[in-house]
Amino acid sequence: MPDHIDFTRMLLLAVDAWRYGSRDGQQQFDLQQALTTAVDAAGAGAGLEPAAWHRQPAGDGFLDFIADSGAELALVDPFVRELDAWLGRFNHDRLPNARLRLRLAMHHGGAIPAACGYASDGPVHVCRLRDAKPARAALTLVPEANLVQVLSEPIFGSVRQRLTTLSAADFTPVLVDEPEKDFREKAWIRVPGVSTERLSGLAEPEALTIWVAPAAGSDDARAAALASFAAAGIPRPDCVPGTGDAFIVPLSPTVSGDLVLGVWLRHLQEAIGTSGRVAVSVGIAAGRDLGEAHGLATGDEASAVLAGVADAPVVVVVSDDVHRRFVAGSHAGMVYPDSYRRTGTDPESWLRVPGYAMAPHASSARQTKAAAPPAHTAGVVNGPVSNIGSAVIHGSYVNGTVHHSHGTVR
């Protein structure tokens, strides 16, 4: 290990030309010239300084290292607008196979000067996004497009915070999954002037990521979780290898957020409560965010309640996104929106202890538990779906008036 490594984090722009290898030598020469001219002109038009960028060529494209981190907003927004306009003028009178079409990926990551350019995770990450199947598919799906723009999650944060003229709704979320290269990351795709509806085929299926974290000394968490999915009528989910008890549950017309957060959690509570050997905290995140689901399941709040509340074998923590989309305002009879409480963490999350009318704190372990719903009767494991007023009840139900914990009629 050297005494000093010149490590830094910088903006990374990866560019690749469409169908470069199918052209003859003269066409490739002309294309390389047009490519560098296009990017430099668009950068200047956006108020950037391409001459100060360190460029690592790759024949049909290149990788630009931009030390000026303040250039991010201009790179994401006006640079792409200028580049799309330049390409539109260049391609106007050209035959389809002679057009210059580009894949652009943008990332903010680590870089270390090395013998052949730069090393570290940043260059690898941005090139994986540029070469991803969804990015290639976008140019095929939209043959008139001049370019496709791919943003990494760190860069997309600027769009999400409304720091550009672009909106988060302008982008399509995709999953770049390359197991053979040990790469699995979320990215965001946009084709200027093309609706997200047209690109909807590129989007990853809506899903929930569930991380089941056993307490110290517990076992059989995976078996209990899998049995609970089956009992709830949910097809066996994808188990994420090498991550412990983590599951990806694709949502569909037959598998809803209500089913997971209501029926499945009830079956998990029953399975763990009767085993006497397992206590678990469960983190549930939107999409396929393993990191967030793990953080929710193993956070201080979940761990404290699991350790401090003796009769709480299951603690559930959901992300703010999951709470907003699938819990708040839900009318499913087994979701219990009123039983969640804010954790006060950053980012925000919500905690529930199944069986409690209000999620207890570790310091107040002897709160009044909610009456448990009646046991399931024979028939379909998750029962029929019944409508009572505005409520949707999974499984058997009891006639009568149902009240929220604060007294209003449910």
Side-chain angles (χ1 to χ4, degrees):
M1 177 69 71
D3 294 334
H4 174 71
I5 294 179
D6 192 13
F7 175 85
T8 186
R9 292 194 178 274
M10 60 175 63
L11 282 172
L12 303 165
L13 170 66
V15 184
D16 188 90
W18 172 75
R19 292 188 177 176
Y20 176 85
S22 63
R23 309 179 195 227
D24 63 30
Q26 183 60 52
Q27 289 173 325
Q28 291 179 355
F29 179 90
D30 293 340
L31 184 145
Q32 287 191 29
Q33 183 63 49
L35 174 58
T36 56
T37 301
V39 171
D40 290 346
L48 300 171
E49 298 183 41
W53 301 351
H54 177 79
R55 182 161 293 171
Q56 184 172 303
D60 55 350
F62 48 77
L63 184 55
D64 276 337
F65 297 83
I66 306 170
D68 178 12
S69 60
E72 179 179 327
L73 301 184
L75 188 71
V76 169
D77 192 352
F79 167 76
V80 175
R81 188 165 58 248
E82 293 282 341
L83 183 58
D84 187 48
W86 193 100
L87 292 171
R89 294 189 295 270
F90 180 83
N91 291 329
H92 180 69
D93 292 327
R94 282 177 166 75
L95 295 174
N97 286 340
R99 295 170 61 211
L100 175 58
R101 307 175 72 207
L102 304 178
R103 300 193 312 275
L104 311 174
M106 301 173 182
H107 179 52
H108 186 268
I112 303 171
C116 298
Y118 281 84
S120 196
D121 65 305
V124 173
H125 193 119
V126 74
C127 289
R128 293 278 188 268
L129 299 188
R130 177 197 62 192
D131 299 334
K133 292 178 182 178
R136 296 177 184 274
L139 290 183
T140 301
L141 189 64
V142 189
E144 72 275 17
N146 295 312
L147 64 86
V148 56
Q149 177 186 21
V150 189
L151 302 184
S152 69
E153 182 66 24
I155 296 291
F156 186 71
S158 298
V159 177
R160 188 184 284 117
Q161 294 180 60
R162 298 184 297 173
L163 301 180
T164 72
T165 64
L166 301 173
S167 164
D170 296 328
F171 289 80
T172 298
V174 299
L175 182 66
V176 182
D177 189 10
E178 299 181 5
E180 69 282 1
K181 296 179 179 178
D182 196 26
F183 187 86
R184 182 185 176 94
E185 294 288 342
K186 191 171 186 176
W188 302 82
I189 281 184
R190 181 177 79 100
V191 175
V194 176
S195 68
T196 54
E197 287 77 11
R198 190 171 175 186
L199 299 177
S200 60
L202 304 175
E204 59 176 316
E206 188 173 33
L208 292 176
T209 297
I210 300 174
W211 195 293
V212 180
S218 298
D219 56 13
D220 295 338
R222 176 179 291 251
L226 289 174
S228 301
F229 285 121
I234 298 173
R236 185 184 178 96
D238 294 333
C239 300
V240 182
T243 59
D245 301 321
F247 309 93
I248 304 293
V249 181
L251 300 182
S252 68
T254 57
V255 178
S256 65
D258 287 345
L259 186 63
V260 174
L261 294 169
V263 180
W264 174 72
L265 284 178
R266 178 60 182 166
H267 281 287
L268 181 66
Q269 178 194 9
E270 291 175 347
I272 289 178
T274 57
S275 72
R277 295 180 295 138
V278 185
V280 299
S281 56
V282 180
I284 304 180
R288 299 167 186 264
D289 195 331
L290 285 170
E292 184 173 25
H294 177 261
L296 294 169
T298 60
D300 292 342
E301 187 81 7
S303 299
V305 173
L306 195 64
V309 182
D311 56 353
V314 179
V315 175
V316 181
V317 185
V318 303
S319 69
D320 191 56
D321 193 16
V322 169
H323 185 272
R324 175 175 52 81
R325 294 168 61 189
F326 302 112
V327 176
S330 173
H331 297 296
M334 298 177 72
V335 173
Y336 306 123
D338 291 344
S339 66
Y340 285 83
R341 65 169 171 82
R342 291 180 183 270
T343 63
T345 58
D346 183 20
E348 187 62 86
S349 59
W350 298 74
L351 185 145
R352 176 190 169 203
V353 177
Y356 277 79
M358 176 60 69
H361 295 266
S363 59
S364 55
R366 298 302 173 192
Q367 297 190 19
T368 302
K369 296 187 68 175
H376 294 289
T377 56
V380 181
V381 290
N382 59 328
V385 177
S386 305
N387 295 311
I388 303 178
S390 60
V392 179
I393 308 295
H394 294 275
S396 56
Y397 63 87
V398 177
N399 289 322
T401 302
V402 182
H403 294 269
H404 288 289
S405 58
H406 50 67
T408 60
V409 175
R410 181 178 293 177

